[in-house]
Amino acid sequence: MLVGLKMGAAALAPVLLAFLLYLFDTKTKFGKLKNMHKQLIVGVVFGALACLATQFGIPYDNYMMNVRSAAPLTAGLVFGGPSGIIAGVIGGLYRWFSVYWGVPMYTRIACSLATVLAGVFAAICRKFMFNGKKTSWFYGVFLAIATEVVHMLLVFLTHMDDIMTAFAVVKKTAVPMIAANAVSLFMSLLFVSLVSKRRMRKEMPVGMTETAQKQDKGTRTITQTFSLHLLVSVFVAFVATIGFTYFLQDNVGNLEATDLLTININDVKSDISGTVNSEIEKKLKNVANNVEKNTTDFGEGAWDSENDLSRTKFLYGNLGNMTEIYYIDTNGDVIACSDEQYVRNFNLHDSEQSKAFLFLLDEPYNRLTFVQDYMPMGYDSTEYRKFAAIQLKNGGILQIAADKSSFQVLIRETMDSAATNRHIGQSGFIFIVNPDDKDKPIISAPEGTVSTDDVLTFTKTVSELENGKMLTYETADGTSYYYMKDVVEGYLVVACIPVSEADFSRDISVYIGAFMQLVVFFILFLVVFFLIKNIIIDNIHKINSSLAKITNGDLSTRVDVHENEEFASLSDDINTTVSRLKEYISEAEKRIDQELAYAKSIQHSALPSVFPPYPDRTEFDIYATMNTAKEVGGDFYDFYLLNNDRLAFLIADVSGKGIPAAMFMMTAKTMLKSYTETGIGVADVFTLANQKLCESNEAGMFVTAWMGILDLKSGVLKFANAGHNPPLIKHKDGSFEYLKSKPGLVLAGMDGIKYRENEMTLVPGDELFLYTDGVTEATDANTVLFGEENLKNTLDTCQNRTAKGRCDTVIDAVNAFVGEAPQFDDITMLSLRYQCSDEKGDEKNVKELTIEAKIENIEAVTEFVDNELELLDCSPRAMMQINVAIDELFGNIANYAYHPGHGPATVRVEVVEEPLSVVITFIDAGQPFDPLAKDDPDITASAEDREIGGLGIFMVKKTMDEVGYEYKDGKNILTIKKKLN
């Protein structure tokens, strides 16, 4: 238990060190060091850990264990191959020299080499198997097991002359050290992997984190799937092979142990029986010789008395240890013997024991002898005898016998000689037990090896055991023995051999076989893995890389993988397919280009493209252009005269690009023009067009549009906006500003929408610039937008006064801004300049100012009119009267025309030559109101009796030469005229 805890603590050391170094690498400045420096530091640190594992080894049954290989393996697999090699070299060198300060010498070479190889294995696997990345715990455990197996094989290899001791070391230490190193690698790789994934998910955006989680749960790569199945197959093959080897070796070992014990028992039996029988035969022949020399006849009763027996013994030779003598005639009858009870009372045919001697009577005389085993007598089974017989010349046989006591004296010396110093294998032994004297067994084992008590226990155990059958017995000191028994001459002979010795060949075969198969399977796995990776996986990656380029549009890419026939065929097929695809695409592109050219021609022919469109009309100057991002686009513009005095113009942008947008654009353009030409207002045109476009709009497309209808005589512009960019309007001072109005929803966006009509009055010289978002959203190479501010600045600084010049200036500015960046959206513009009928004839006679009708703007209007009057050398008196009129008339518009809000008012100054006069016109789109309709106030009445109001208009009437009012096209138009001389 304590050893297990120590090994567990030693296995945790590389885990904690790897965890801390990984945190340092990701959380501190350590991670910013050059890789070479980090590898050196990590290698030295883990090398020091390997040295500590050597120095503080864990004792176990006179052997020393450690978890040294885990240090270089962890360094190499987690942090990099160089660090693993450095750690392995440091740990190996320390183990080599550690014998000088007390570390055991026996496994010096094996441990030193194994430590270096651990770092080398980790570096090789990380580079070639795992592509320089951290591996999973699964492969780390496998590599740790393989490394320690090589360690154990090196122990055998370096001690071939002492294989039993080497096996004892391996048998005790292999499993704990392999398990400890494998667990250490498992925990190190698992913890580092968990920390690494957690850090990556924290650093990734939310969407990327979800993707990574899906990938974690997704399918494996071919390499992962193949290696997993290969490892499982190798493991199953390994278990099956080792199981079969163990079963086979176990049976072979049992047979060998059985044969060894049987041979030794038979040898003992042969030695004892041969020696005893030989001795008895000598005595038998000696007695027979004496009988044949001195006696020719044996009569009845010749051996009846004890004295006769004594004489007979003396006469016929000394029997020594033999106690009985018998003469048996040719019929098998006992006719003379040392025991009178058998004379004429026993025949050899009377018992199975005695029948064994009958063949001597049947065979011709040849001095044949026969010695029988020590066994119960045929006449009395309670008595044991050792019989021997010999043929006599005069017929019959002479038989001698030894009883129990005489036989034991005879056999004891023989047994001592047969059993002394007899060993079975290295430490097996023989013991012989006399059933009548069990306390004095004959034991061949060295003194102190096996006790008498163990022998007695053996004797009790084997008493009922079948002869020649092998069983197992464990002695008091815990040693297990295989044993087998047999009986010779009545004595129990038992052969024993330690189980460990008998099973040594089996165990060492299984261990070495298992280790070698692990190494072979590991090498086989690496070879197959490398072959699959280099021949299949790498080629698949090459093909996939080429296919990725092809699928991204680079059809010039060729797949060039010709290492073997299958991939060469696949590469050629892909290249042929791509070549055919390029041909088809080329043909399709030509056909599409032709069709798109026709479509572009049709689309552009549907738009006004001849400029000036109305050469005889001088009231306005208009120009429009459309540059599509593709061959056809969704932008469009249009303009047309509704009658002699009204001009409709619009610009629009359809959602989407290409053919669908172009088709929707044609539908929308045709529909808008059709509704506009009916004479309805622009808001109603949008309302009806929206209703119609919403019908059967399954594609979900929509169109933004800005449309205006301009009265060329009055300058009144009525317009509506369906979600489009606001146009820019140019003031008299030459600056542009965005014409802000509340836009409606896009056309085809929602059924049932009603649009709002807006109105303003243009004065000669005003300009409108309409555009689509392709202008303001044009982007340069850095994805910076051209923007509304750039557009306004471009128009402000444009010196060209024609509509075409404005458009050309803007498109040049956009192109300069965008540079080489591609055009992503259609760019469409329309420029309109309102000139009125006589502007080109005598532009200096008419000046106009449009301004918001507010009291605070009276000063600006007065200044505008005064500037014109000063050019005409107007007298101060006339100028003062005009200023009073402006104050009254513009103040009325500001206070009442748009009450409670505000709206635009236009002040137009016109010079009349004969007589020199100035005509000032006030125009607003407010509530209809004729200030001249009210009667003049009675100035003769007192202030208390006069009605309030009307005095200002009365003064205007009195000071001006002419005052007129009309309400036309929804506008209040009040005109005053003042002669200047």
Side-chain angles (χ1 to χ4, degrees):
M1 182 66 178
L2 182 60
V3 172
L5 292 176
K6 290 181 178 180
M7 288 294 285
L12 282 176
V15 180
L16 295 176
L17 185 58
F19 183 73
L20 291 175
L21 282 176
Y22 189 79
L23 289 182
F24 272 112
D25 189 39
T26 56
K27 301 289 186 181
T28 67
K29 294 181 180 179
F30 178 74
K32 297 180 180 180
L33 294 176
K34 291 183 178 179
N35 185 60
M36 177 179 65
H37 297 158
K38 286 198 293 185
Q39 293 292 316
L40 179 61
I41 293 172
V42 171
V44 170
V45 171
F46 274 98
L49 182 62
C51 297
L52 290 175
T54 297
Q55 191 63 39
F56 298 99
I58 300 165
Y60 178 53
D61 280 358
N62 299 321
Y63 303 108
M64 193 68 71
M65 298 190 300
N66 56 67
V67 193
R68 181 174 46 246
S69 297
L73 285 172
T74 302
L77 294 178
V78 175
F79 297 97
S83 63
I85 294 175
I86 293 170
V89 170
I90 292 174
L93 289 174
Y94 185 87
R95 176 62 183 93
W96 180 265
F97 291 105
S98 63
V99 297
Y100 297 113
W101 44 84
V103 177
M105 178 77 177
Y106 191 76
T107 58
R108 177 190 192 183
I109 299 175
C111 291
S112 299
L113 288 175
T115 307
V116 175
L117 289 176
V120 173
F121 288 164
I124 292 174
C125 290
R126 181 180 174 104
K127 180 175 178 59
F128 295 104
M129 286 184 62
F130 313 125
N131 297 322
K133 300 177 182 178
K134 293 187 295 294
T135 181
S136 66
W137 63 265
F138 184 80
Y139 300 108
V141 169
F142 183 61
L143 183 58
I145 293 173
T147 302
E148 280 304 297
V149 165
V150 171
H151 184 184
M152 298 302 149
L153 286 174
L154 288 172
V155 173
F156 283 122
L157 187 63
T158 54
H159 294 90
M160 297 298 292
D161 57 341
D162 187 18
I163 198 68
M164 294 191 71
T165 303
F167 177 68
V169 172
V170 171
K171 189 174 182 180
K172 281 290 183 182
T173 62
V175 173
M177 289 178 63
I178 290 173
N181 281 277
V183 169
S184 182
L185 260 293
F186 162 72
M187 296 178 68
S188 296
L189 292 169
L190 180 63
F191 287 170
V192 170
S193 176
L194 292 175
V195 174
S196 176
K197 288 181 179 180
R198 183 177 180 184
R199 180 177 63 84
M200 289 176 63
R201 286 179 179 146
K202 284 184 177 180
E203 293 176 354
M204 285 191 295
V206 175
M208 289 294 292
T209 304
E210 294 173 354
T211 302
Q213 290 174 349
K214 291 178 181 179
Q215 290 176 349
D216 285 345
K217 299 177 182 178
T219 56
R220 296 184 178 92
T221 63
I222 292 177
T223 305
Q224 292 172 329
T225 303
F226 171 78
S227 59
L228 178 62
H229 284 78
L230 181 60
L231 278 178
V232 171
S233 301
V234 166
F235 178 76
V236 171
F238 170 75
V239 172
T241 305
I242 292 304
F244 176 76
T245 302
Y246 180 85
F247 175 78
L248 181 63
Q249 291 293 332
D250 186 56
N251 282 276
V252 171
N254 286 336
L255 289 174
E256 290 179 347
T258 301
D259 290 344
L260 181 63
L261 295 177
T262 301
I263 289 171
N264 278 273
I265 285 180
N266 289 337
D267 286 347
V268 171
K269 288 174 62 178
S270 177
D271 289 348
I272 294 173
S273 296
T275 302
V276 171
N277 290 346
S278 178
E279 183 68 22
I280 291 177
E281 281 185 350
K282 288 179 182 180
K283 294 181 182 298
L284 178 64
K285 289 179 180 180
N286 185 41
V287 173
N289 289 335
N290 289 332
V291 169
E292 289 176 337
K293 285 187 215 179
N294 300 294
T295 301
T296 58
D297 182 36
F298 286 89
E300 183 177 351
W303 298 32
D304 287 346
S305 67
E306 184 175 342
N307 292 331
D308 290 338
L309 176 59
S310 299
R311 290 194 298 273
T312 299
K313 288 180 179 180
F314 176 79
L315 179 63
Y316 300 121
N318 186 5
L319 291 178
N321 292 329
M322 308 304 291
T323 57
E324 298 176 2
I325 184 169
Y326 301 86
Y327 178 79
I328 301 167
D329 65 12
T330 57
N331 294 321
D333 291 326
V334 176
I335 59 173
C337 70
S338 57
D339 189 349
E340 61 180 7
Q341 63 176 325
Y342 296 120
V343 177
R344 307 294 182 183
N345 290 324
F346 187 80
N347 188 281
L348 294 183
H349 291 87
D350 292 344
S351 72
E352 292 299 323
Q353 176 268 324
S354 59
K355 285 180 181 180
F357 293 93
L358 289 174
F359 79 95
L360 295 175
L361 298 176
D362 296 334
E363 294 290 332
Y365 174 76
N366 195 22
R367 199 68 169 174
L368 295 178
T369 61
F370 174 65
V371 181
Q372 193 177 47
D373 290 341
Y374 181 74
M375 63 178 62
M377 296 176 62
Y379 189 82
D380 184 359
S381 60
T382 62
E383 294 290 333
Y384 280 74
R385 295 288 188 274
K386 175 77 173 177
F387 286 96
I390 189 171
Q391 291 178 320
L392 297 175
K393 290 180 181 180
N394 58 348
I397 60 175
L398 181 68
Q399 190 179 60
I400 61 176
D403 62 8
K404 180 184 296 185
S405 59
S406 62
F407 176 71
Q408 288 178 354
V409 173
L410 176 67
I411 201 172
R412 180 72 187 192
E413 294 180 358
T414 304
M415 288 186 175
D416 285 340
S417 175
T420 302
N421 296 324
R422 178 178 290 275
H423 297 289
I424 302 176
Q426 294 289 327
S427 53
F429 59 91
I430 290 283
F431 68 86
I432 303 173
V433 178
N434 182 357
D436 297 325
D437 191 9
K438 296 179 180 179
D439 294 337
K440 297 180 179 180
I442 301 172
I443 305 172
S444 68
E447 186 176 354
T449 304
V450 180
S451 66
T452 303
D453 291 339
D454 286 327
V455 171
L456 294 177
T457 306
F458 266 118
T459 304
K460 294 177 183 178
T461 304
V462 303
S463 59
E464 302 298 329
L465 178 65
E466 178 183 347
N467 290 346
K469 184 176 181 180
M470 187 176 72
L471 289 180
T472 305
Y473 175 76
E474 183 175 332
T475 61
D477 64 353
T479 304
S480 295
Y481 288 88
Y482 287 130
Y483 65 92
M484 181 184 293
K485 71 104 175 179
D486 208 336
V487 177
V488 55
E489 304 294 357
Y491 282 74
L492 182 65
V493 179
V494 180
C496 302
I497 186 172
V499 171
S500 59
E501 182 179 335
D503 291 346
F504 174 75
S505 60
R506 179 201 68 188
D507 291 344
I508 195 169
S509 296
V510 171
Y511 268 77
I512 294 179
F515 292 160
M516 289 301 298
Q517 287 178 44
L518 269 174
V519 172
V520 170
F521 285 143
F522 178 66
I523 294 173
L524 177 64
F525 172 79
L526 292 181
V527 171
V528 174
F529 184 91
F530 288 144
L531 289 176
I532 293 296
K533 182 177 181 295
N534 293 332
I535 296 177
I536 297 178
I537 304 303
D538 288 350
N539 286 333
I540 289 176
H541 287 328
K542 291 178 183 178
I543 292 176
N544 285 339
S545 177
S546 299
L547 286 175
K549 295 178 181 178
I550 292 171
T551 54
N552 287 330
D554 185 4
L555 298 183
S556 63
T557 301
R558 289 187 59 81
V559 181
D560 188 18
V561 180
H562 292 83
E563 281 78 1
N564 51 63
E565 183 178 351
E566 290 79 6
F567 280 108
S569 176
L570 178 60
S571 298
D572 293 340
D573 289 344
I574 293 174
N575 291 332
T576 301
T577 302
V578 173
S579 179
R580 295 282 177 84
L581 180 62
K582 288 169 67 176
E583 294 176 3
Y584 295 149
I585 291 175
S586 178
E587 293 175 0
E589 284 179 343
K590 292 179 181 178
R591 185 173 63 254
I592 292 172
D593 287 344
Q594 292 176 351
E595 293 175 355
L596 289 176
Y598 294 146
K600 182 175 183 180
S601 176
I602 293 171
Q603 184 181 31
H604 280 269
S605 66
L607 303 178
S609 57
V610 177
F611 298 98
Y614 308 105
D616 57 334
R617 303 300 295 262
T618 60
E619 303 99 313
F620 62 93
D621 180 19
I622 192 168
Y623 183 82
T625 179
M626 180 177 73
N627 297 316
T628 57
K630 296 185 177 181
E631 286 77 0
V632 291
D635 286 6
F636 68 93
Y637 64 85
D638 203 0
F639 56 85
Y640 36 84
L641 289 169
L642 298 177
N643 54 40
N644 196 48
D645 297 328
R646 296 171 68 225
L647 173 69
F649 60 98
L650 68 112
I651 193 166
D653 184 1
V654 177
S655 62
K657 303 288 184 297
I659 296 295
M663 295 176 66
F664 198 77
M665 161 258 178
M666 294 295 289
T667 301
K669 176 183 177 299
T670 303
M671 193 175 296
L672 288 170
K673 185 174 182 180
S674 175
Y675 286 133
T676 303
E677 289 178 339
T678 62
I680 61 178
V682 65
D684 294 332
V685 170
F686 275 9
T687 300
L688 292 173
N690 177 69
Q691 186 72 23
K692 196 66 177 177
L693 289 172
C694 284
E695 296 176 4
S696 302
N697 185 19
E698 296 179 0
M701 301 186 75
F702 60 88
V703 56
T704 67
W706 194 98
M707 182 176 183
I709 299 177
L710 175 64
D711 188 316
L712 298 175
K713 286 187 176 181
S714 65
V716 174
L717 174 65
K718 296 181 179 180
F719 62 92
N721 188 348
H724 198 77
N725 306 79
L728 291 101
I729 183 169
K730 183 178 81 71
H731 298 298
K732 291 295 276 186
D733 61 359
S735 65
F736 280 82
E737 71 172 353
Y738 285 96
L739 180 60
K740 302 294 185 181
S741 62
K742 186 176 181 181
L745 189 66
V746 296
L747 298 178
M750 182 183 295
D751 191 11
I753 297 297
K754 291 185 178 182
Y755 292 86
R756 177 182 177 183
E757 183 176 276
N758 300 281
E759 183 178 319
M760 67 177 295
T761 300
L762 301 182
V763 297
D766 283 355
E767 295 182 28
L768 281 173
F769 184 84
L770 283 62
Y771 63 95
T772 60
D773 57 9
V775 177
T776 53
E777 294 181 4
T779 57
D780 63 8
N782 298 319
T783 66
V784 177
L785 300 179
F786 183 73
E788 294 180 351
E789 189 65 26
N790 267 349
L791 175 59
K792 180 181 181 302
N793 293 337
T794 300
L795 292 172
D796 285 342
T797 57
C798 177
Q799 300 300 317
N800 201 315
R801 296 172 65 85
T802 66
K804 183 178 183 305
R806 297 284 189 193
C807 292
D808 290 344
T809 299
V810 172
I811 196 66
D812 289 344
V814 171
N815 290 337
F817 177 82
V818 170
E820 298 297 325
Q823 178 183 341
F824 293 106
D825 202 356
D826 302 337
I827 296 176
T828 304
M829 296 174 285
L830 184 147
S831 180
L832 172 66
R833 178 183 176 85
Y834 178 56
Q835 302 175 149
C836 202
S837 59
D838 60 346
E839 181 183 2
K840 289 185 179 181
D842 189 8
E843 191 176 281
K844 70 177 182 178
N845 290 336
V846 178
K847 302 295 181 181
E848 190 174 277
L849 171 67
T850 299
I851 195 169
E852 194 169 5
K854 293 182 178 180
I855 293 297
E856 54 265 30
N857 287 336
I858 291 176
E859 184 177 352
V861 173
T862 303
E863 182 179 359
F864 165 68
V865 175
D866 286 349
N867 289 336
E868 298 299 323
L869 293 178
E870 289 176 356
L871 296 175
L872 300 174
D873 294 330
C874 179
S875 65
R877 183 174 181 276
M879 186 177 292
M880 182 187 67
Q881 291 175 341
I882 292 173
N883 289 341
V884 171
I886 291 173
D887 185 77
E888 175 63 24
L889 298 177
F890 192 85
N892 284 340
I893 295 172
N895 287 325
Y896 306 112
Y898 297 100
H899 185 75
H902 300 283
T906 300
V907 179
R908 184 180 300 160
V909 179
E910 181 180 358
V911 179
V912 179
E913 299 293 343
E914 293 294 338
L916 183 60
S917 305
V918 62
V919 178
I920 302 175
T921 305
F922 297 88
I923 306 170
D924 70 80
Q927 300 175 17
F929 176 68
D930 182 5
L932 304 181
K934 191 174 182 179
D935 294 336
D936 294 336
D938 184 5
I939 59 174
T940 61
S942 63
E944 291 80 2
D945 296 332
R946 286 200 307 270
E947 293 182 4
I948 298 175
L951 186 59
I953 292 297
F954 176 73
M955 293 178 62
V956 170
K957 290 179 181 179
K958 292 298 182 180
T959 55
M960 296 298 107
D961 295 316
E962 294 180 15
V963 179
Y965 168 82
E966 68 174 335
Y967 184 78
K968 181 180 179 181
D969 297 330
K971 289 183 173 55
N972 296 299
I973 303 173
L974 191 144
T975 305
I976 59 174
K977 184 177 181 180
K978 180 69 174 177
K979 295 178 181 179
L980 301 181
N981 53 20

